PDB file of all heavy atoms in Angstrom:
ATOM      1  N   PRO N 158      84.286 102.690  96.991  1.00 92.00           N
ATOM      2  CA  PRO N 158      84.636 101.262  97.013  1.00 92.00           C
ATOM      3  C   PRO N 158      83.462 100.406  96.560  1.00 92.00           C
ATOM      4  O   PRO N 158      82.323 100.853  96.560  1.00 92.00           O
ATOM      5  CB  PRO N 158      84.964 101.018  98.477  1.00 92.00           C
ATOM      6  CG  PRO N 158      84.145 102.019  99.217  1.00 92.00           C
ATOM      7  CD  PRO N 158      84.070 103.234  98.338  1.00 92.00           C
ATOM      8  N   LYS N 159      83.779  99.170  96.210  1.00 93.00           N
ATOM      9  CA  LYS N 159      82.730  98.231  95.810  1.00 93.00           C
ATOM     10  C   LYS N 159      82.216  97.457  97.012  1.00 93.00           C
ATOM     11  O   LYS N 159      81.085  96.986  97.009  1.00 93.00           O
ATOM     12  CB  LYS N 159      83.269  97.256  94.764  1.00 93.00           C
ATOM     13  CG  LYS N 159      83.631  97.943  93.458  1.00 93.00           C
ATOM     14  CD  LYS N 159      82.376  98.265  92.676  1.00 93.00           C
ATOM     15  CE  LYS N 159      82.693  99.173  91.493  1.00 93.00           C
ATOM     16  NZ  LYS N 159      83.111 100.536  91.907  1.00 93.00           N
ATOM     17  N   VAL N 160      83.074  97.274  98.003  1.00 94.00           N
ATOM     18  CA  VAL N 160      82.650  96.582  99.221  1.00 94.00           C
ATOM     19  C   VAL N 160      83.110  97.397 100.420  1.00 94.00           C
ATOM     20  O   VAL N 160      84.232  97.884 100.447  1.00 94.00           O
ATOM     21  CB  VAL N 160      83.282  95.173  99.336  1.00 94.00           C
ATOM     22  CG1 VAL N 160      82.639  94.417 100.491  1.00 94.00           C
ATOM     23  CG2 VAL N 160      83.140  94.407  98.048  1.00 94.00           C
ATOM     24  N   ILE N 161      82.207  97.535 101.386  1.00 93.00           N
ATOM     25  CA  ILE N 161      82.613  98.165 102.635  1.00 93.00           C
ATOM     26  C   ILE N 161      82.548  97.132 103.731  1.00 93.00           C
ATOM     27  O   ILE N 161      81.531  96.446 103.887  1.00 93.00           O
ATOM     28  CB  ILE N 161      81.694  99.353 102.970  1.00 93.00           C
ATOM     29  CG1 ILE N 161      81.945 100.457 101.956  1.00 93.00           C
ATOM     30  CG2 ILE N 161      81.944  99.860 104.376  1.00 93.00           C
ATOM     31  CD1 ILE N 161      80.904 101.515 101.992  1.00 93.00           C
ATOM     32  N   PHE N 162      83.658  96.995 104.443  1.00 92.00           N
ATOM     33  CA  PHE N 162      83.689  96.059 105.556  1.00 92.00           C
ATOM     34  C   PHE N 162      83.526  96.862 106.835  1.00 92.00           C
ATOM     35  O   PHE N 162      84.286  97.795 107.086  1.00 92.00           O
ATOM     36  CB  PHE N 162      85.016  95.315 105.578  1.00 92.00           C
ATOM     37  CG  PHE N 162      85.191  94.410 104.388  1.00 92.00           C
ATOM     38  CD1 PHE N 162      85.840  94.854 103.254  1.00 92.00           C
ATOM     39  CD2 PHE N 162      84.692  93.118 104.419  1.00 92.00           C
ATOM     40  CE1 PHE N 162      86.000  94.028 102.159  1.00 92.00           C
ATOM     41  CE2 PHE N 162      84.851  92.288 103.325  1.00 92.00           C
ATOM     42  CZ  PHE N 162      85.502  92.737 102.185  1.00 92.00           C
ATOM     43  N   ALA N 163      82.524  96.495 107.624  1.00 92.00           N
ATOM     44  CA  ALA N 163      82.306  97.234 108.853  1.00 92.00           C
ATOM     45  C   ALA N 163      82.254  96.242 110.004  1.00 92.00           C
ATOM     46  O   ALA N 163      81.419  95.346 110.015  1.00 92.00           O
ATOM     47  CB  ALA N 163      81.000  98.015 108.760  1.00 92.00           C
ATOM     48  N   ASP N 164      83.192  96.370 110.930  1.00 90.00           N
ATOM     49  CA  ASP N 164      83.246  95.462 112.073  1.00 90.00           C
ATOM     50  C   ASP N 164      82.750  96.208 113.302  1.00 90.00           C
ATOM     51  O   ASP N 164      83.447  97.066 113.835  1.00 90.00           O
ATOM     52  CB  ASP N 164      84.685  94.962 112.274  1.00 90.00           C
ATOM     53  CG  ASP N 164      84.735  93.787 113.236  1.00 90.00           C
ATOM     54  OD1 ASP N 164      83.708  93.514 113.899  1.00 90.00           O
ATOM     55  OD2 ASP N 164      85.796  93.141 113.334  1.00 90.00           O
ATOM     56  N   GLU N 165      81.559  95.887 113.748  1.00 89.00           N
ATOM     57  CA  GLU N 165      80.945  96.542 114.897  1.00 89.00           C
ATOM     58  C   GLU N 165      81.026  98.066 114.780  1.00 89.00           C
ATOM     59  O   GLU N 165      81.544  98.735 115.662  1.00 89.00           O
ATOM     60  CB  GLU N 165      81.653  96.130 116.199  1.00 89.00           C
ATOM     61  CG  GLU N 165      81.818  94.641 116.375  1.00 89.00           C
ATOM     62  CD  GLU N 165      80.617  93.995 117.058  1.00 89.00           C
ATOM     63  OE1 GLU N 165      79.580  94.683 117.176  1.00 89.00           O
ATOM     64  OE2 GLU N 165      80.703  92.824 117.429  1.00 89.00           O
ATOM     65  N   PRO N 166      80.535  98.624 113.691  1.00 89.00           N
ATOM     66  CA  PRO N 166      80.745 100.056 113.491  1.00 89.00           C
ATOM     67  C   PRO N 166      80.023 100.902 114.524  1.00 89.00           C
ATOM     68  O   PRO N 166      80.374 102.061 114.724  1.00 89.00           O
ATOM     69  CB  PRO N 166      80.166 100.311 112.096  1.00 89.00           C
ATOM     70  CG  PRO N 166      79.198  99.216 111.880  1.00 89.00           C
ATOM     71  CD  PRO N 166      79.741  98.026 112.612  1.00 89.00           C
ATOM     72  N   THR N 167      79.040 100.317 115.200  1.00 89.00           N
ATOM     73  CA  THR N 167      78.285 101.112 116.169  1.00 89.00           C
ATOM     74  C   THR N 167      78.563 100.642 117.590  1.00 89.00           C
ATOM     75  O   THR N 167      77.892 101.052 118.526  1.00 89.00           O
ATOM     76  CB  THR N 167      76.775 100.985 115.896  1.00 89.00           C
ATOM     77  OG1 THR N 167      76.442  99.601 116.031  1.00 89.00           O
ATOM     78  CG2 THR N 167      76.426 101.440 114.519  1.00 89.00           C
ATOM     79  N   GLY N 168      79.556  99.781 117.715  1.00 83.00           N
ATOM     80  CA  GLY N 168      79.822  99.135 118.996  1.00 83.00           C
ATOM     81  C   GLY N 168      79.991 100.093 120.147  1.00 83.00           C
ATOM     82  O   GLY N 168      79.659  99.781 121.286  1.00 83.00           O
ATOM     83  N   ALA N 169      80.539 101.286 119.837  1.00 81.00           N
ATOM     84  CA  ALA N 169      80.838 102.201 120.934  1.00 81.00           C
ATOM     85  C   ALA N 169      79.822 103.344 121.017  1.00 81.00           C
ATOM     86  O   ALA N 169      80.057 104.321 121.702  1.00 81.00           O
ATOM     87  CB  ALA N 169      82.252 102.752 120.769  1.00 81.00           C
ATOM     88  N   LEU N 170      78.722 103.209 120.286  1.00 84.00           N
ATOM     89  CA  LEU N 170      77.776 104.335 120.232  1.00 84.00           C
ATOM     90  C   LEU N 170      76.455 103.977 120.919  1.00 84.00           C
ATOM     91  O   LEU N 170      76.115 102.813 121.076  1.00 84.00           O
ATOM     92  CB  LEU N 170      77.492 104.690 118.773  1.00 84.00           C
ATOM     93  CG  LEU N 170      78.720 104.969 117.916  1.00 84.00           C
ATOM     94  CD1 LEU N 170      78.298 105.307 116.496  1.00 84.00           C
ATOM     95  CD2 LEU N 170      79.546 106.092 118.508  1.00 84.00           C
ATOM     96  N   ASP N 171      75.688 105.003 121.303  1.00 86.00           N
ATOM     97  CA  ASP N 171      74.363 104.738 121.850  1.00 86.00           C
ATOM     98  C   ASP N 171      73.391 104.432 120.716  1.00 86.00           C
ATOM     99  O   ASP N 171      73.728 104.548 119.541  1.00 86.00           O
ATOM    100  CB  ASP N 171      73.885 105.914 122.701  1.00 86.00           C
ATOM    101  CG  ASP N 171      73.624 107.155 121.861  1.00 86.00           C
ATOM    102  OD1 ASP N 171      73.614 107.036 120.620  1.00 86.00           O
ATOM    103  OD2 ASP N 171      73.448 108.234 122.443  1.00 86.00           O
ATOM    104  N   SER N 172      72.143 104.021 121.053  1.00 84.00           N
ATOM    105  CA  SER N 172      71.225 103.550 120.009  1.00 84.00           C
ATOM    106  C   SER N 172      70.989 104.609 118.950  1.00 84.00           C
ATOM    107  O   SER N 172      71.067 104.340 117.758  1.00 84.00           O
ATOM    108  CB  SER N 172      69.874 103.160 120.590  1.00 84.00           C
ATOM    109  OG  SER N 172      69.985 102.796 121.917  1.00 84.00           O
ATOM    110  N   LEU N 173      70.717 105.820 119.412  1.00 85.00           N
ATOM    111  CA  LEU N 173      70.334 106.845 118.461  1.00 85.00           C
ATOM    112  C   LEU N 173      71.476 107.133 117.491  1.00 85.00           C
ATOM    113  O   LEU N 173      71.302 107.123 116.276  1.00 85.00           O
ATOM    114  CB  LEU N 173      69.941 108.118 119.219  1.00 85.00           C
ATOM    115  CG  LEU N 173      69.088 109.083 118.422  1.00 85.00           C
ATOM    116  CD1 LEU N 173      67.779 108.411 118.008  1.00 85.00           C
ATOM    117  CD2 LEU N 173      68.814 110.331 119.251  1.00 85.00           C
TER     118      LEU N 173
END
Side-chain angles (χ1 to χ4, degrees):
Chain N
K159 294 284 170 292
V160 189
I161 291 167
F162 294 93
D164 193 348
E165 310 272 12
T167 60
L170 306 180
D171 67 11
S172 334
L173 200 60

